[in-house]
Amino acid sequence: GAIADIVKHEENGFIISSRDPHDFYEAVERLIKDRDLLRRIQKANRKKARDNFEAGVVTRNLESFYRSILHA
């Protein structure tokens, strides 16, 4: 699904069962104990946000989208 396309397990987050609170607990506990993993996930998400959602990127993507509609 869409979540698995965005979240890469242990690269920029965790894929856990939404029905099992213990999975959530284990993921949070892991981040508390493994500061290197926390830093890698933070760094990956900052890069993803910068690469995909920075104002200039969003503007270029919208301009491209509108141009494609106008020329269709």
Side-chain angles (χ1 to χ4, degrees):
I3 298 294
D5 293 334
I6 297 169
V7 177
K8 304 299 179 203
H9 188 69
E10 296 186 10
E11 288 181 30
N12 66 343
F14 290 94
I15 304 290
I16 60 173
S17 171
S18 62
R19 295 186 179 104
D20 187 354
H22 187 70
D23 280 356
F24 178 74
Y25 168 81
E26 285 181 344
V28 171
E29 183 179 45
R30 182 132 181 247
L31 290 174
I32 291 169
K33 290 181 177 180
D34 188 343
R35 301 310 265 181
D36 289 333
L37 176 61
L38 175 62
R39 282 188 208 79
R40 285 193 309 272
I41 288 174
Q42 288 171 329
K43 184 177 179 180
N45 284 310
R46 277 193 300 275
K47 182 180 181 337
K48 187 177 196 100
R50 189 174 44 252
D51 292 350
N52 295 292
F53 305 110
E54 194 172 68
V57 172
V58 173
T59 301
R60 283 189 297 279
N61 289 340
L62 282 172
E63 287 174 346
S64 176
F65 172 71
Y66 289 132
R67 281 192 185 103
S68 72
I69 292 173
L70 291 172
H71 298 358

